[in-house]
Amino acid sequence: MSKRSPITTHVLDVSLGKPASNILCKLRRLNSQNKWEKISEGITNQDGRVEDLLSTALTKGTYRLEFLTGPYFENRKVSTFYPSVNIIFEVTAPEEHYHVPLLLSPFGYSTYRGS
């Protein structure tokens, strides 16, 4: 059995009431030079999830998940106000799991710390 990624995400398209698949997600960490360093990326599956973003141990710090939502809406032939969504969050307890869901619609989004 493989070890679960310490950071996971899930994208739900609330305008459809369904998971949002095929959205590219990029994970970055703020480094000591105050620059965003790319750690990994993944694409949401049919259930709207990316569960394998990180295969290494998590460290304390500031992270950013970028969701490239423009192509998702373009494929649906729907205009959107948000071609990408960035969620910046703080990891203070690296031994814990961080689930960062995105509730998405063409003209709004919301997020929270999940479990």
Side-chain angles (χ1 to χ4, degrees), residues 23-24 67-74 80 82-85 102 104:
I23 293 180
L24 178 61
F67 299 85
L68 300 178
T69 55
Y72 168 77
F73 286 113
E74 187 177 307
T80 181
Y82 300 105
S84 70
V85 173
L102 175 63
L104 181 64

Side-chain angles (χ1 to χ4, degrees), residues 5-75:
S5 170
I7 296 176
T8 56
T9 190
H10 188 197
V11 183
L12 295 173
D13 184 333
V14 295
S15 68
L16 296 175
K18 295 181 179 180
S21 60
N22 295 315
I23 293 180
L24 178 61
C25 305
K26 297 180 180 184
L27 179 64
R28 291 183 168 82
R29 185 175 188 279
L30 198 59
N31 67 23
S32 58
Q33 288 79 42
N34 215 28
K35 296 193 190 269
W36 291 108
E37 193 173 284
K38 183 178 168 190
I39 296 175
S40 70
E41 62 182 44
I43 297 174
T44 57
N45 63 19
Q46 289 303 107
D47 195 33
R49 297 179 185 275
V50 180
E51 297 179 331
D52 59 355
L53 272 173
L54 200 55
S55 60
T56 61
L58 196 55
T59 59
K60 288 183 179 184
T62 303
Y63 290 78
R64 181 177 80 190
L65 261 175
E66 179 184 11
F67 299 85
L68 300 178
T69 55
Y72 168 77
F73 286 113
E74 187 177 307
N75 287 339

